Amino acid sequence: MDATARGVDRNLTNYADSGFSRYLRRAFLASAGYDGADLERPVIGVVDTTSDYNTCHQEMPRLIEAVKRGILQAGGLPMVFPTISLGEILLSPTAMLFRNLMAMETEEMIRAQPMDAVVLLGGCDKTLPAQLMAAASVEVPAIHLVAGSMLTGDWRGERLGACTDCRRYWARHRAGELDAEEIVGVRQSLCPTAGTCMVMGTASTMACMAETLGMMLPGAATPPAVTGARLRIGVETGRRAVALAAEGRTARDILTRPAFENALKVLAALSGSTNAVVHLLAVAGRAGTQLSLDDFGAIAREVPLLVDCKPAGAGYMEDFDRAGGVPVLLQAMAEILDLDVVGVSGQRLGDLLAGVAPPADWQTTIRPFDDPLGPASSLVVLKGSLAPDGAVLKKAASSPQLHKHRGPAVVFDGPDDAVRVDDPALGITPEHVMVLRNAGPVALGMPEAGSMPLPKYLAEQGVSDMVRVSDGRMSGTAYGTVVLHVAPEAAVGGPLALVRDGDEIELDVEAGRLELLVADGELARRREQLQLPKVPARGWRRLYAERVMQANLGADLDFMVDADEA
Ligand code: FES
């Protein structure tokens, strides 16, 4: 491969005759209307994740036009290409099963096709993490952009947003507070525009992470999908991509340990999605940057809740954007950040923040560091006999009265088994600890099933939260005292596989402990009888189940980590 080749002469198709390859490329590109002047320009790949199966990305065609305009203005040649698109709601069993597939496909298409830089357009939950993983794996400069969030809806005078309010109203419907007609009314108001979920769920959290890491331009995370501001940041991103092509700085130059430490601080200040833990570990693994699950707990202890967004707060992404978004938040946190990091803008973070002028009323949504919205430790890492390699709890979205809790287990052997939860014969009380296993990476691709519903009869009595424990995930928009990402998972023989109905489980959030109170001898006896599930017979699901790592390592495929083959 000719490392000095540029534009369409990069990564030549191998006919054992490079002159023929260049000639043939120009012949076929001529058929698409490209002339010699076009092909003199730096080629900027633009990743298109438009799909009818991904409603969150429905405005992406307009955004791509804006990006292309910026690329052309700066003297580049945009070339748009599609990849898999992962729409959270229309994929089974879970979009997470395909995050690594999208990361692998995106990486290979960036590497295989000629481009001097790439703009990656994502948004819905797993798309941006997959694209960050891909960007961290290639030697092509990359810049990210997101679809932007939805605007809020309204039902009977109350602002509504996907999907914290989806869950809240569904819980009220299950508790008998909303009838069938009313829940349809709510349903029609939850997602009023194009865009990603407008609370601080996984999509919003990861957009803020990408901006903090320096992989998106300042201010790019928060403008809603249907605004001119979203399109303008698209134009700017296109222009900047051309400059990046000339500079040659790649994601690996940007995704440093200080950049990740800044991101973890912002994650805590946002009380962001627990899914960000898995995704950031995976991105760090691709970038070759040391990052562990323990880092998340340690850094969260230093940072209070600063941003008022659901599910930990009351506001929405459009409020956060109006308050100045990530740049104003970073300015509020400047004293604890590393200001020497340099992202895709090419500017030192400290210099960028010096030019940020917050709007007059920014403190309604973004709180000053010395007057926070909530205490530190919005995210807690738990360890103990039930989670030797760790688990996570979103403390800011849980119930304080359950932070120290001991109760008998009631065990569900996978999301399909959870349909039994409403059966009064199980005798579930508010003191029970509901265990949902076989929802980990190997078992099922780690669906967002961990926040399983409370028994209907308890919900009808006014019970609104119980301790739940799972090797699965929960949506970033969800809430409750839900211990997630238990590692190792049940499907590989983790202690979760040994729990039986009635076993005592103890949660101590302050101490960071999750214990299964069963004698070692009894656990050893149960382990002898344990039968692990078979891996799927073929295809992606087989490869995934055989090679996926546990949640505490980012759930990437083991052979993709820090793979520097470019
Ligand atoms: Fe796409 Fe929530 S479903 S971001």
Side-chain angles (χ1 to χ4, degrees):
M1 191 173 77
D2 180 0
T4 63
R6 291 290 173 265
V8 294
D9 292 328
R10 293 173 78 113
N11 306 331
L12 287 176
T13 316
N14 196 337
Y15 298 111
D17 180 345
S18 57
F20 177 70
S21 300
R22 282 191 285 272
Y23 151 80
L24 206 57
R25 280 193 174 179
R26 280 166 172 73
F28 277 76
L29 286 165
S31 79
Y34 296 102
D35 64 14
D38 281 323
L39 302 183
E40 288 299 308
R41 295 173 170 226
V43 174
I44 311 298
V46 180
V47 175
D48 181 1
T49 51
T50 308
S51 164
D52 285 349
Y53 288 96
N54 189 345
T55 58
C56 301
H57 291 194
Q58 59 188 290
E59 281 291 312
M60 198 160 274
R62 287 181 76 210
L63 190 55
I64 287 174
E65 287 309 310
V67 171
K68 287 166 69 178
R69 201 161 72 239
I71 292 170
L72 289 167
Q73 285 170 7
L77 179 68
M79 295 197 75
V80 180
F81 65 99
T83 68
I84 305 172
S85 185
L86 304 178
E88 194 66 21
I89 308 301
L90 293 172
L91 277 167
S92 175
T94 168
M96 183 64 180
L97 179 64
F98 307 106
R99 182 201 64 176
N100 298 342
L101 184 62
M102 181 175 177
M104 194 186 284
E105 186 214 31
T106 306
E107 172 186 339
E108 294 301 342
M109 287 303 99
I110 294 171
R111 187 172 285 134
Q113 301 173 129
M115 61 192 80
D116 299 299
V118 61
V119 182
L120 298 113
L121 287 94
C124 193
D125 288 17
K126 308 303 174 293
T127 56
L128 181 56
Q131 292 176 336
L132 286 165
M133 291 162 71
S137 305
V138 296
E139 294 304 311
V140 176
I143 184 168
H144 294 260
L145 188 62
V146 288
S149 56
M150 290 185 242
L151 296 176
T152 49
D154 173 277
W155 187 69
R156 295 185 177 172
E158 187 191 347
R159 280 175 98 194
L160 285 190
C163 241
T164 303
D165 297 318
C166 315
R167 294 168 199 288
R168 190 165 56 85
Y169 273 95
W170 185 248
R172 289 183 60 190
H173 176 55
R174 276 178 59 81
E177 294 174 27
L178 259 66
D179 64 23
E181 196 177 319
E182 288 173 315
I183 198 68
V184 170
V186 169
R187 192 184 75 196
Q188 298 300 81
S189 307
L190 283 165
C191 306
T193 70
T196 50
C197 293
M198 62 289 235
V199 297
M200 194 52 73
T202 304
S204 304
T205 302
M206 288 308 300
C208 295
M209 293 296 93
E211 185 177 332
T212 306
L213 284 166
M215 292 303 299
M216 286 202 299
L217 287 177
T222 55
V226 294
T227 60
R230 171 58 51 200
L231 298 176
R232 291 195 297 277
I233 201 80
V235 178
E236 197 182 339
T237 298
R239 285 191 205 113
R240 186 62 201 147
V242 179
L244 274 173
E247 294 165 12
R249 293 177 66 243
T250 69
R252 281 175 166 253
D253 300 320
I254 294 168
L255 295 170
T256 59
R257 171 82 192 186
F260 275 100
E261 288 182 3
N262 284 352
L264 266 54
K265 287 170 186 169
V266 169
L267 178 64
L270 297 170
S271 185
S273 166
T274 46
N275 290 323
V277 177
V278 185
H279 298 322
L280 290 173
L281 287 166
V283 177
R286 294 292 185 101
T289 304
Q290 282 299 320
L291 192 72
S292 74
L293 184 60
D294 291 334
D295 290 324
F296 287 81
I299 286 178
R301 277 196 288 276
E302 301 168 15
V303 185
L305 175 63
L306 297 178
V307 176
D308 187 12
C309 274
K310 290 186 174 187
Y316 295 90
M317 284 300 281
E318 64 195 68
D319 306 322
F320 185 34
D321 183 60
R322 215 172 284 125
V326 174
V328 169
L329 174 63
L330 295 177
Q331 199 178 52
M333 300 173 65
E335 65 191 80
I336 61 162
L337 299 177
D338 187 320
L339 300 178
D340 288 325
V341 296
V342 178
V344 288
S345 73
Q347 278 183 278
R348 189 181 154 271
L349 179 61
D351 297 336
L352 274 174
L353 296 185
V356 172
D361 58 348
W362 66 278
Q363 294 184 2
T364 52
T365 302
I366 304 171
R367 301 297 168 87
F369 199 76
D370 56 5
D371 182 22
L373 186 69
S377 287
S378 59
L379 182 90
V380 174
V381 174
L382 303 163
K383 289 200 173 160
S385 55
L386 193 50
D389 293 338
V392 299
L393 173 84
K394 190 169 184 176
K395 187 178 165 192
S398 64
S399 302
Q401 70 273 17
L402 292 172
H403 288 173
K404 193 164 175 56
H405 181 86
R406 178 174 170 167
V410 54
V411 181
F412 299 90
D413 267 321
D416 291 343
D417 189 35
V419 293
R420 292 189 297 124
V421 71
D422 289 333
D423 181 357
L426 292 181
I428 302 175
T429 68
E431 285 68 44
H432 271 88
V433 174
M434 302 201 319
V435 173
L436 178 72
R437 65 187 173 204
N438 297 322
V442 171
L444 215 49
M446 224 181 163
E448 292 183 340
S451 55
M452 57 184 302
L454 305 186
K456 196 167 179 346
Y457 57 91
L458 290 182
E460 285 168 350
Q461 292 166 26
V463 176
S464 59
D465 196 10
M466 289 171 60
V467 175
R468 285 155 277 178
V469 176
S470 178
D471 46 13
R473 298 175 300 117
M474 77 173 184
S475 164
T477 63
Y479 48 87
T481 309
V482 190
V483 178
L484 301 155
H485 310 180
V486 169
E489 65 174 295
V492 298
L496 209 58
L498 306 177
V499 183
R500 292 186 180 169
D501 286 343
D503 288 350
E504 288 284 308
I505 291 176
E506 189 170 62
L507 170 68
D508 187 339
V509 175
E510 293 311 318
R513 306 299 300 171
L514 181 69
E515 306 289 354
L516 175 61
L517 304 176
V518 176
D520 289 347
E522 171 60 17
L523 291 177
R525 269 190 296 283
R526 292 182 192 178
R527 185 167 292 286
E528 283 170 13
Q529 298 164 9
L530 187 63
Q531 290 199 331
L532 298 180
K534 286 188 184 148
V535 298
R538 60 184 295 278
W540 169 249
R541 292 182 185 210
R542 175 172 177 165
L543 177 65
Y544 187 90
E546 287 179 344
R547 303 303 292 269
V548 71
M549 300 188 296
Q550 290 294 289
N552 61 304
L553 300 173
D556 197 0
L557 303 178
D558 56 6
F559 57 88
M560 298 302 289
V561 174
D562 197 12
D564 190 3
E565 62 173 82

